Coordinates of all heavy atoms in Angstrom, one line a residue:
M1 N -89.9 40.6 105.1 CA -91.2 40.3 104.4 C -92.1 41.5 104.3 O -92.7 41.8 103.3 CB -91.8 39.1 105.1 CG -93.1 38.7 104.6 SD -92.8 37.9 103.0 CE -94.4 37.5 102.5
L2 N -92.3 42.1 105.5 CA -93.2 43.3 105.5 C -92.6 44.5 104.7 O -93.3 45.2 104.0 CB -93.4 43.8 107.0 CG -94.3 44.9 107.2 CD1 -95.7 44.5 106.7 CD2 -94.4 45.3 108.7
D3 N -91.3 44.6 104.7 CA -90.6 45.6 103.9 C -90.8 45.4 102.4 O -91.0 46.4 101.7 CB -89.1 45.6 104.2 CG -88.8 46.1 105.6 OD1 -89.6 46.8 106.2 OD2 -87.7 45.8 106.1
E4 N -90.8 44.2 102.0 CA -91.0 43.9 100.6 C -92.5 44.2 100.1 O -92.7 44.7 99.0 CB -90.7 42.4 100.3 CG -89.3 42.1 100.4 CD -89.1 40.6 100.3 OE1 -90.0 39.8 100.1 OE2 -87.9 40.1 100.4
I5 N -93.4 43.9 101.0 CA -94.8 44.2 100.7 C -95.0 45.7 100.6 O -95.7 46.2 99.7 CB -95.8 43.6 101.8 CG1 -95.7 42.1 101.7 CG2 -97.2 44.1 101.6 CD1 -96.4 41.4 102.8
V6 N -94.5 46.5 101.6 CA -94.6 47.9 101.6 C -93.9 48.5 100.3 O -94.5 49.4 99.7 CB -94.0 48.5 102.9 CG1 -93.9 50.1 102.8 CG2 -94.8 48.1 104.1
E7 N -92.8 48.0 100.0 CA -92.1 48.5 98.8 C -92.9 48.2 97.5 O -92.9 49.1 96.6 CB -90.7 47.8 98.7 CG -89.9 48.3 97.5 CD -88.5 47.6 97.5 OE1 -88.1 46.9 98.4 OE2 -87.8 47.8 96.5
L8 N -93.5 47.0 97.4 CA -94.3 46.7 96.3 C -95.5 47.6 96.1 O -95.8 48.1 95.1 CB -94.7 45.2 96.3 CG -95.6 44.7 95.2 CD1 -94.8 44.7 93.9 CD2 -96.2 43.4 95.5
V9 N -96.2 47.8 97.2 CA -97.3 48.7 97.2 C -96.9 50.1 96.9 O -97.6 50.8 96.1 CB -98.1 48.7 98.6 CG1 -99.1 49.8 98.7 CG2 -98.7 47.3 98.8
F10 N -95.8 50.6 97.4 CA -95.3 51.9 97.1 C -95.0 52.1 95.6 O -95.3 53.1 95.0 CB -94.1 52.2 98.0 CG -93.7 53.7 98.0 CD1 -94.4 54.7 98.5 CD2 -92.5 54.0 97.4 CE1 -94.0 56.0 98.5 CE2 -92.0 55.3 97.3 CZ -92.8 56.3 97.9
D11 N -94.3 51.1 95.1 CA -93.9 51.1 93.6 C -95.2 51.1 92.8 O -95.2 51.8 91.7 CB -93.1 49.9 93.3 CG -91.7 50.0 93.8 OD1 -91.2 51.2 94.1 OD2 -91.0 49.0 93.9
V12 N -96.2 50.3 93.1 CA -97.4 50.3 92.3 C -98.1 51.6 92.4 O -98.6 52.1 91.4 CB -98.4 49.2 92.9 CG1 -99.7 49.3 92.3 CG2 -97.8 47.8 92.5
I13 N -98.2 52.3 93.5 CA -98.8 53.6 93.7 C -98.1 54.6 92.8 O -98.7 55.4 92.2 CB -98.9 54.0 95.1 CG1 -99.9 53.1 95.9 CG2 -99.3 55.5 95.3 CD1 -100.0 53.3 97.4
L14 N -96.7 54.6 92.9 CA -95.9 55.5 92.1 C -96.1 55.3 90.6 O -96.0 56.3 89.8 CB -94.5 55.4 92.5 CG -94.1 56.1 93.8 CD1 -92.6 55.9 94.1 CD2 -94.4 57.5 93.9
E15 N -96.3 54.1 90.2 CA -96.6 53.9 88.7 C -97.9 54.4 88.3 O -98.1 54.9 87.2 CB -96.4 52.4 88.4 CG -95.0 51.9 88.3 CD -95.0 50.5 87.8 OE1 -95.8 50.1 87.0 OE2 -94.1 49.7 88.3
L16 N -98.9 54.2 89.1 CA -100.3 54.5 88.7 C -100.6 56.0 88.8 O -101.4 56.5 88.0 CB -101.3 53.8 89.6 CG -101.3 52.3 89.5 CD1 -102.3 51.7 90.4 CD2 -101.7 51.9 88.1
V17 N -100.0 56.7 89.7 CA -100.4 58.1 89.9 C -100.1 59.0 88.6 O -101.0 59.7 88.2 CB -99.7 58.7 91.1 CG1 -99.9 60.2 91.2 CG2 -100.3 58.1 92.4
P18 N -99.0 58.9 88.0 CA -98.8 59.7 86.8 C -99.7 59.4 85.7 O -100.1 60.2 84.9 CB -97.3 59.5 86.4 CG -96.7 59.0 87.7 CD -97.7 58.3 88.4
T19 N -100.0 58.1 85.5 CA -100.9 57.7 84.4 C -102.3 58.2 84.7 O -103.0 58.7 83.7 CB -101.0 56.1 84.4 OG1 -99.6 55.6 84.2 CG2 -101.8 55.7 83.2
I20 N -102.8 58.2 85.9 CA -104.1 58.7 86.2 C -104.2 60.2 86.0 O -105.1 60.7 85.4 CB -104.5 58.3 87.6 CG1 -104.7 56.8 87.7 CG2 -105.7 59.0 88.1 CD1 -104.9 56.2 89.1
I21 N -103.2 60.9 86.4 CA -103.1 62.3 86.3 C -103.1 62.7 84.8 O -103.8 63.6 84.4 CB -101.9 62.9 87.1 CG1 -102.2 62.8 88.5 CG2 -101.7 64.4 86.7 CD1 -101.0 63.2 89.4
L22 N -102.3 62.0 84.0 CA -102.2 62.2 82.6 C -103.6 62.0 81.9 O -104.0 62.8 81.1 CB -101.2 61.3 81.9 CG -101.0 61.5 80.4 CD1 -100.6 62.9 80.1 CD2 -100.0 60.5 79.9
K23 N -104.3 60.9 82.3 CA -105.6 60.6 81.7 C -106.6 61.7 82.1 O -107.4 62.1 81.3 CB -106.0 59.3 82.2 CG -105.3 58.1 81.5 CD -105.8 56.8 81.9 CE -105.0 55.7 81.2 NZ -105.4 54.4 81.6
I24 N -106.5 62.2 83.3 CA -107.5 63.2 83.8 C -107.2 64.5 83.0 O -108.1 65.2 82.5 CB -107.4 63.5 85.3 CG1 -107.9 62.3 86.0 CG2 -108.1 64.7 85.7 CD1 -107.7 62.3 87.5
L25 N -105.9 64.9 82.8 CA -105.6 66.0 82.0 C -106.0 65.9 80.5 O -106.5 66.9 79.9 CB -104.1 66.3 82.1 CG -103.6 66.8 83.5 CD1 -102.1 67.0 83.4 CD2 -104.3 68.1 83.8
L26 N -105.8 64.7 80.0 CA -106.3 64.5 78.6 C -107.8 64.6 78.5 O -108.3 65.1 77.5 CB -105.8 63.2 78.1 CG -104.3 63.1 77.6 CD1 -103.9 61.7 77.3 CD2 -104.1 64.0 76.4
L27 N -108.5 64.0 79.5 CA -110.0 64.1 79.5 C -110.4 65.6 79.5 O -111.3 66.0 78.8 CB -110.5 63.3 80.7 CG -112.0 63.3 80.8 CD1 -112.6 62.5 79.7 CD2 -112.4 62.7 82.1
L28 N -109.8 66.4 80.4 CA -110.2 67.8 80.5 C -109.9 68.5 79.2 O -110.7 69.3 78.7 CB -109.5 68.4 81.7 CG -110.0 68.0 83.0 CD1 -109.1 68.6 84.1 CD2 -111.4 68.3 83.2
A29 N -108.7 68.2 78.6 CA -108.3 68.9 77.3 C -109.3 68.5 76.2 O -109.7 69.3 75.4 CB -106.9 68.5 76.9
G30 N -109.8 67.2 76.2 CA -110.7 66.8 75.2 C -112.1 67.5 75.4 O -112.7 67.9 74.4
L31 N -112.5 67.6 76.6 CA -113.8 68.3 76.9 C -113.7 69.8 76.5 O -114.6 70.3 76.0 CB -114.1 68.1 78.4 CG -114.5 66.7 78.8 CD1 -114.7 66.7 80.3 CD2 -115.8 66.3 78.1
V32 N -112.6 70.4 76.8 CA -112.4 71.8 76.4 C -112.4 71.9 74.9 O -113.0 72.9 74.3 CB -111.1 72.4 77.0 CG1 -110.7 73.7 76.4 CG2 -111.2 72.5 78.5
A33 N -111.7 71.0 74.2 CA -111.7 71.1 72.7 C -113.1 70.9 72.1 O -113.5 71.6 71.2 CB -110.8 70.0 72.2
V34 N -113.9 70.1 72.7 CA -115.3 69.9 72.2 C -116.1 71.2 72.6 O -116.9 71.7 71.7 CB -116.0 68.7 72.9 CG1 -117.5 68.6 72.6 CG2 -115.3 67.4 72.3
A35 N -115.9 71.7 73.7 CA -116.6 72.9 74.2 C -116.3 74.1 73.3 O -117.1 75.0 73.0 CB -116.4 73.2 75.6
V36 N -115.0 74.2 72.8 CA -114.6 75.3 72.0 C -115.0 75.0 70.5 O -115.4 75.9 69.8 CB -113.1 75.5 72.1 CG1 -112.6 76.5 71.0 CG2 -112.8 76.0 73.5
G37 N -115.0 73.8 70.1 CA -115.2 73.4 68.7 C -116.7 73.5 68.3 O -117.0 73.9 67.2
V38 N -117.6 73.2 69.2 CA -119.0 73.2 68.8 C -119.5 74.6 68.5 O -120.2 74.8 67.5 CB -119.9 72.5 70.0 CG1 -121.4 72.8 69.7 CG2 -119.6 71.0 70.0
P39 N -119.2 75.6 69.3 CA -119.6 77.0 68.9 C -119.0 77.5 67.6 O -119.5 78.3 66.9 CB -119.3 77.9 70.1 CG -119.1 77.0 71.2 CD -118.7 75.7 70.7
L40 N -117.7 77.0 67.3 CA -117.0 77.4 66.1 C -117.6 76.8 64.8 O -117.3 77.3 63.7 CB -115.6 77.0 66.2 CG -114.7 77.9 67.1 CD1 -113.3 77.4 67.1 CD2 -114.7 79.3 66.5
L41 N -118.5 75.8 65.0 CA -119.1 75.2 63.8 C -119.8 76.2 62.9 O -119.9 76.1 61.7 CB -120.0 74.0 64.2 CG -119.3 72.8 64.6 CD1 -120.3 71.8 65.2 CD2 -118.5 72.1 63.5
A42 N -120.5 77.2 63.6 CA -121.2 78.2 62.8 C -120.3 79.1 62.0 O -120.6 79.5 60.9 CB -122.1 79.0 63.8
D43 N -119.2 79.6 62.6 CA -118.3 80.5 62.0 C -117.4 79.8 61.0 O -117.1 80.3 59.9 CB -117.6 81.3 63.0 CG -118.5 82.2 63.9 OD1 -119.6 82.6 63.4 OD2 -118.1 82.4 65.1
S44 N -116.7 78.8 61.5 CA -115.7 78.1 60.7 C -116.0 76.6 60.8 O -115.5 76.0 61.8 CB -114.3 78.5 61.2 OG -113.3 77.7 60.6
P45 N -116.7 76.0 59.9 CA -117.0 74.6 60.0 C -115.8 73.7 60.0 O -115.8 72.7 60.7 CB -117.9 74.4 58.7 CG -118.3 75.7 58.3 CD -117.3 76.7 58.7
L46 N -114.8 74.1 59.2 CA -113.6 73.2 59.2 C -112.9 73.1 60.5 O -112.6 72.1 61.0 CB -112.7 73.6 58.1 CG -111.5 72.7 57.8 CD1 -112.0 71.4 57.3 CD2 -110.6 73.4 56.7
L47 N -112.6 74.3 61.1 CA -111.9 74.4 62.4 C -112.8 73.8 63.5 O -112.3 73.1 64.3 CB -111.5 75.8 62.7 CG -110.7 76.0 64.0 CD1 -109.4 75.2 64.0 CD2 -110.4 77.5 64.2
G48 N -114.0 74.2 63.5 CA -114.9 73.7 64.5 C -115.1 72.2 64.5 O -115.1 71.5 65.5
G49 N -115.3 71.7 63.3 CA -115.4 70.3 63.1 C -114.1 69.5 63.6 O -114.2 68.5 64.2
A50 N -113.0 70.1 63.2 CA -111.7 69.4 63.6 C -111.5 69.4 65.1 O -111.2 68.4 65.7 CB -110.6 70.1 62.9
L51 N -111.8 70.5 65.7 CA -111.7 70.6 67.2 C -112.7 69.6 67.9 O -112.4 69.0 68.9 CB -111.9 72.0 67.7 CG -110.7 72.9 67.7 CD1 -111.1 74.3 68.1 CD2 -109.6 72.4 68.5
T52 N -113.9 69.6 67.4 CA -114.9 68.7 67.9 C -114.6 67.3 67.8 O -114.6 66.5 68.8 CB -116.3 69.0 67.3 OG1 -116.6 70.4 67.4 CG2 -117.4 68.2 67.9
V53 N -114.1 66.9 66.6 CA -113.7 65.5 66.4 C -112.5 65.1 67.2 O -112.5 64.0 67.8 CB -113.5 65.2 64.9 CG1 -112.9 63.9 64.7 CG2 -114.8 65.3 64.1
L54 N -111.5 66.0 67.2 CA -110.3 65.7 68.0 C -110.6 65.6 69.5 O -110.2 64.6 70.2 CB -109.3 66.8 67.8 CG -108.0 66.7 68.5 CD1 -107.2 65.5 68.0 CD2 -107.1 67.9 68.4
G55 N -111.4 66.5 70.0 CA -111.8 66.4 71.4 C -112.6 65.2 71.7 O -112.4 64.5 72.8
A56 N -113.5 64.8 70.8 CA -114.3 63.6 71.1 C -113.5 62.3 71.0 O -113.7 61.4 71.8 CB -115.4 63.5 70.0
V57 N -112.5 62.3 70.1 CA -111.6 61.1 70.1 C -110.8 61.0 71.3 O -110.6 59.9 71.9 CB -110.7 61.2 68.8 CG1 -109.6 60.2 68.9 CG2 -111.5 61.0 67.6
V58 N -110.3 62.1 71.8 CA -109.5 62.1 73.1 C -110.3 61.6 74.2 O -109.9 60.8 75.0 CB -108.8 63.5 73.3 CG1 -108.2 63.5 74.7 CG2 -107.8 63.8 72.3
V59 N -111.5 62.2 74.4 CA -112.4 61.8 75.5 C -112.8 60.3 75.4 O -112.7 59.6 76.4 CB -113.7 62.7 75.5 CG1 -114.7 62.1 76.4 CG2 -113.3 64.1 75.9
L60 N -113.1 59.8 74.2 CA -113.5 58.4 74.0 C -112.3 57.5 74.3 O -112.4 56.4 74.8 CB -114.1 58.2 72.7 CG -115.4 58.8 72.4 CD1 -115.9 58.6 71.0 CD2 -116.4 58.2 73.4
G61 N -111.1 58.0 73.9 CA -109.9 57.2 74.1 C -109.6 57.0 75.6 O -109.2 56.0 76.1
V62 N -109.7 58.1 76.3 CA -109.5 58.0 77.8 C -110.5 57.1 78.5 O -110.2 56.3 79.3 CB -109.5 59.5 78.4 CG1 -109.5 59.4 79.9 CG2 -108.3 60.3 77.9
I63 N -111.8 57.3 78.1 CA -112.8 56.4 78.7 C -112.6 55.0 78.3 O -112.7 54.1 79.2 CB -114.2 56.9 78.2 CG1 -114.5 58.3 78.8 CG2 -115.3 55.9 78.6 CD1 -115.7 59.0 78.3
A64 N -112.2 54.7 77.1 CA -111.9 53.3 76.7 C -110.7 52.8 77.4 O -110.7 51.6 77.8 CB -111.6 53.3 75.2
S65 N -109.7 53.6 77.7 CA -108.5 53.1 78.4 C -108.9 52.8 79.9 O -108.3 51.9 80.5 CB -107.4 54.1 78.3 OG -107.6 55.2 79.1
W66 N -109.8 53.5 80.4 CA -110.2 53.2 81.8 C -111.1 52.0 81.8 O -111.1 51.2 82.8 CB -111.0 54.4 82.4 CG -110.2 55.5 82.9 CD1 -108.9 55.3 83.4 CD2 -110.5 56.9 83.1 NE1 -108.4 56.6 83.8 CE2 -109.4 57.5 83.7 CE3 -111.6 57.6 82.9 CZ2 -109.4 58.8 84.0 CZ3 -111.6 58.9 83.2 CH2 -110.5 59.5 83.7
A67 N -111.9 51.7 80.8 CA -112.7 50.6 80.8 C -112.0 49.3 80.6 O -112.4 48.2 81.0 CB -113.8 50.7 79.7
L68 N -110.8 49.3 79.9 CA -110.1 48.1 79.7 C -109.2 47.9 80.8 O -108.6 47.5 81.5 CB -109.3 48.2 78.4 CG -110.1 48.4 77.1 CD1 -109.2 48.7 75.9 CD2 -110.9 47.2 76.9

């Protein structure tokens, strides 16, 4: 009985860790894309806008997945 509980907890932890790490990496990548895209708006509006929008969508998607 105790072995089954420990195994279940261990399996749940192993399933959650990669997802959390992936979400953190995506959040950081989105923030970097926004940080790079905003200054580029003055020089190249198309590239800066694309990076800003892409980064914002990634950040909002990660936050929404944590909220649900």
Side-chain angles (χ1 to χ4, degrees):
M1 180 71 182
L2 185 60
D3 293 338
E4 293 173 1
I5 294 172
V6 171
E7 183 180 350
L8 178 66
V9 170
F10 190 70
D11 286 341
V12 168
I13 290 172
L14 285 179
E15 279 186 38
L16 292 178
V17 169
T19 304
I20 291 171
I21 291 172
L22 179 63
K23 287 181 181 180
I24 290 172
L25 290 175
L26 281 173
L27 181 67
L28 290 175
L31 290 173
V32 167
V34 170
V36 170
V38 170
L40 282 178
L41 285 171
D43 296 333
S44 174
L46 187 61
L47 181 61
L51 278 174
T52 303
V53 168
L54 180 66
V57 167
V58 170
V59 169
L60 290 175
V62 170
I63 291 172
S65 72
W66 278 336
L68 297 175

